[in-house]
Amino acid sequence: MFEQEGSLCAQHCLNNLLQGEYFSPVELSSIAHQLDEEERMRMAEGGITSEDYRTFLQQQPSGNMDDSGFFSIQVISNALKVWGLDLILFNSPEYQRLRIDPINERSFICNYKEHWFTVRKLGKQWFNLNSLLTGPELISDTYLALFLAQLQQEGYSIFVVKGDLPDCEADQLLQMIRVQQMHRPKLIGEELAQLKDQRIQKTDLERVLEANDGPGMLDEDEDLQKALALSRHEIDMEDEEADLRRAIQLSMQGSSRNVSQDTPQTSGTNLSSEELRKRREAYFEKQQQQQQQQQQQRQQQVDLPGPVSQPCERPTTSSGALGSDLGDAMSEEDMLQVAMSMSLETIRNNLETEGEK
């Protein structure tokens, strides 16, 4: 179906009738000019100096077309004669005497003022092919006569198209199937107005949402996200520190199990640097005493005279060095390394002592 473009409704009416782009505005204009020339020649037969002829020339350039794209019924009738088609006025006495039921016809052309449109049968169903509609409108057989009568009451002139219309694909397809139309097509202007109203409503809604959820709300959401991320980061840091302190404590507890029961035990996970330093000093003092006792026992067994040997040098991880260099400045990671070394050294000393016994 060909929709309305400008005021070329006569062209759309013919092409919708024939179901193809058979006529252009140029071709219809040519027919209109030809009709104008024929009319001028007929008027000149009465004399070019006659009053009727001068009045005819003073009229608009053409009585069969205008600048808006309107074409007269004479142009449409002459265009259809190319296809062997004729037009008969629907309410003329000549046609009414035939008493033909409208559903037995093939098509109608309707005109009101400067608007033309086609009503045609495709397959076994009737369709209103008005170019002002967004699509074809299905018309039932029982409603066709009422539809035509309503058009006549509104002032439309209705013409019956007589003759064989050219074959078209739509007619062949609808000979095999019937269509159902759930919603009537809207007028083009009505649809455009509805779309405009929808756009206005959408714009108003966006403005309301922007006013309620403006930049301030967006900034608050961003601040909330940043605060949550910072809180999670701080929790992760606290968890890492707690794990490190717990590892140090477990290491120190493992070492202290192998020394005397007099070594103070500290439970919990919150050991300070001073408590660790004191624990290491007590551990190394105890280690010194054990080494001195072991040396004295070995001398007594072999009955060797002489002074008791001097105490062996403290390991490089002695309490003095730790107290002065590492007690306060040592990081918790270094403390953990020292604690692990202490634990391994204690195990080795205990194994040596058991082997000598």
Side-chain angles (χ1 to χ4, degrees):
M1 175 176 157
F2 300 91
E3 295 183 359
Q4 184 76 40
E5 295 180 5
S7 299
L8 299 175
C9 53
Q11 175 198 357
H12 303 311
C13 173
L14 290 171
N15 289 335
N16 284 332
L17 174 67
L18 303 174
Q19 288 294 292
E21 296 183 4
Y22 292 100
F23 292 101
S24 67
V26 175
E27 292 172 335
L28 295 180
S29 298
S30 177
I31 296 175
H33 288 307
Q34 182 180 356
L35 290 173
D36 290 338
E37 183 63 20
E38 292 177 357
E39 291 177 4
R40 189 192 65 81
M41 293 177 63
R42 284 196 301 269
M43 293 298 296
E45 291 178 355
I48 58 176
T49 60
S50 65
E51 187 66 24
D52 292 339
Y53 184 74
R54 286 197 300 266
T55 304
F56 174 78
L57 293 179
Q58 290 174 0
Q59 293 177 354
Q60 61 179 357
S62 174
N64 294 289
M65 63 172 291
D66 59 24
D67 295 337
S68 67
F70 167 77
F71 295 97
S72 66
I73 181 61
Q74 289 79 11
V75 174
I76 294 176
S77 178
N78 278 31
L80 292 178
K81 286 179 180 179
V82 177
W83 293 92
L85 301 173
D86 295 318
L87 295 179
I88 301 177
L89 190 61
F90 178 69
N91 59 350
S92 65
E94 177 187 0
Y95 182 78
Q96 292 298 321
R97 284 196 297 268
L98 299 176
R99 298 183 180 275
I100 300 176
D101 192 335
I103 62 173
N104 294 325
E105 300 290 354
R106 293 294 301 169
S107 59
F108 301 91
I109 287 181
C110 308
N111 168 247
Y112 179 70
K113 295 184 177 180
E114 297 183 353
H115 180 59
W116 300 88
F117 70 91
T118 294
V119 177
R120 171 173 171 166
K121 193 173 189 178
L122 292 170
K124 300 177 181 179
Q125 294 175 287
W126 284 92
F127 294 90
N128 176 11
L129 304 179
N130 193 337
S131 57
L132 294 180
L133 296 176
T134 56
E137 179 186 15
L138 181 63
I139 301 176
S140 65
D141 291 348
T142 55
Y143 180 63
L144 178 63
L146 180 61
F147 177 74
L148 296 176
Q150 182 180 354
L151 290 178
Q152 286 182 312
Q153 290 180 356
E154 294 176 359
Y156 275 85
S157 299
I158 302 175
F159 300 89
V160 183
V161 180
K162 289 294 187 177
D164 295 331
L165 295 170
D167 293 335
C168 65
E169 184 177 357
D171 184 61
Q172 295 173 359
L173 180 62
L174 292 176
Q175 290 286 351
M176 298 180 291
I177 60 174
R178 296 180 65 88
V179 298
Q180 293 182 348
Q181 191 170 49
M182 304 301 297
H183 302 285
R184 177 187 176 277
K186 299 178 181 180
L187 291 171
I188 295 177
E190 180 182 354
E191 184 182 38
L192 292 176
Q194 184 177 3
L195 291 176
K196 184 178 179 180
D197 292 341
Q198 290 177 355
R199 285 195 296 267
I200 293 175
Q201 293 175 3
K202 182 178 179 181
T203 303
D204 294 340
L205 179 61
E206 290 176 349
R207 289 176 180 174
V208 172
L209 293 176
E210 184 178 356
N212 294 335
D213 302 331
M217 295 294 293
L218 296 177
D219 293 341
E220 292 180 3
D221 292 341
E222 292 179 358
D223 293 340
L224 178 60
Q225 294 296 330
K226 291 179 180 179
L228 291 175
L230 181 60
S231 176
R232 286 195 295 267
H233 179 69
E234 291 177 353
I235 292 173
D236 293 340
M237 293 294 293
E238 292 177 358
D239 292 343
E240 292 179 0
E241 293 177 0
D243 293 341
L244 181 59
R245 291 183 181 277
R246 192 177 297 109
I248 294 174
Q249 182 188 8
L250 292 176
S251 176
M252 295 302 299
Q253 287 178 353
S255 300
S256 62
R257 291 193 189 99
N258 297 319
V259 297
S260 64
Q261 298 298 322
D262 297 333
T263 304
Q265 302 292 329
T266 304
S267 61
T269 61
N270 297 323
L271 292 176
S272 64
S273 300
E274 183 65 21
E275 291 174 344
L276 290 174
R277 185 181 64 77
K278 290 180 179 180
R279 176 170 290 190
R280 288 195 296 272
E281 288 180 353
Y283 166 75
F284 282 115
E285 288 176 1
K286 190 67 177 179
Q287 287 290 102
Q288 260 188 331
Q289 293 175 5
Q290 288 181 356
Q291 290 176 358
Q292 288 177 357
Q293 291 175 2
Q294 291 173 3
Q295 289 234 350
Q296 289 175 0
Q297 290 176 1
R298 284 197 294 270
Q299 287 179 356
Q300 291 175 1
Q301 288 176 359
V302 297
D303 297 326
L304 293 177
V308 179
S309 62
Q310 297 296 325
C312 64
E313 296 182 358
R314 288 185 179 181
T316 57
T317 58
S318 63
S319 61
L322 290 172
S324 61
D325 298 334
L326 302 176
D328 297 326
M330 184 179 293
S331 66
E332 292 187 353
E333 184 177 357
D334 295 335
M335 292 178 186
L336 179 59
Q337 295 294 334
V338 171
M340 296 296 294
S341 300
M342 290 164 52
S343 177
L344 293 175
E345 185 176 356
T346 301
I347 294 173
R348 286 197 297 270
N349 290 336
N350 291 337
L351 292 175
E352 291 177 359
T353 302
E354 291 178 1
E356 289 175 357
K357 291 181 179 181

